[in-house]
Amino acid sequence: MTIKTKFKVGEDVWFNYEGKTKHGYIHSINIKVKDIALIQYEVKIGGYLLTYREDSLYPTQEKLIKKERKFLTNI
């Protein structure tokens, strides 16, 4: 089985944290496999490590904002 991740350790990512756009980098990647692969990333921001699923992280601020706008228009 081959598992491909969207991001690599050390890569910059953008995400939403408590309703605000934030920027950090990938500290580590956790993968669990049962019926499907669950990929979670530990993101370092300041002195904190936050855990996010792959679909909650974006390579640029623009892509994050575009996704959030699309989500808000579908509500």
Side-chain angles (χ1 to χ4, degrees):
M1 171 188 280
T2 301
I3 298 173
K4 293 192 175 207
T5 61
K6 187 175 176 182
F7 302 102
K8 297 177 182 172
V9 172
E11 199 168 344
D12 290 332
V13 290
W14 290 87
F15 52 95
N16 188 310
Y17 178 73
E18 296 183 347
K20 296 180 183 175
T21 299
K22 297 289 184 176
H23 176 257
Y25 71 91
I26 302 297
H27 179 266
S28 62
I29 303 170
N30 300 311
I31 301 171
K32 294 180 183 178
V33 179
K34 282 200 175 193
D35 294 333
I36 60 169
L38 172 64
I39 302 170
Q40 293 182 318
Y41 296 85
E42 285 190 339
V43 179
K44 181 110 174 170
I45 178 171
Y48 298 98
L49 283 177
L50 306 172
T51 302
Y52 282 89
R53 290 187 349 215
E54 190 168 60
D55 61 353
S56 299
L57 299 173
Y58 299 87
T60 65
Q61 183 178 21
E62 293 78 19
K63 288 188 178 189
L64 170 60
I65 291 169
K66 183 178 177 181
K67 182 68 172 187
E68 287 177 341
R69 283 187 185 148
K70 184 178 179 181
F71 175 75
L72 290 175
T73 58
N74 290 332
I75 294 179

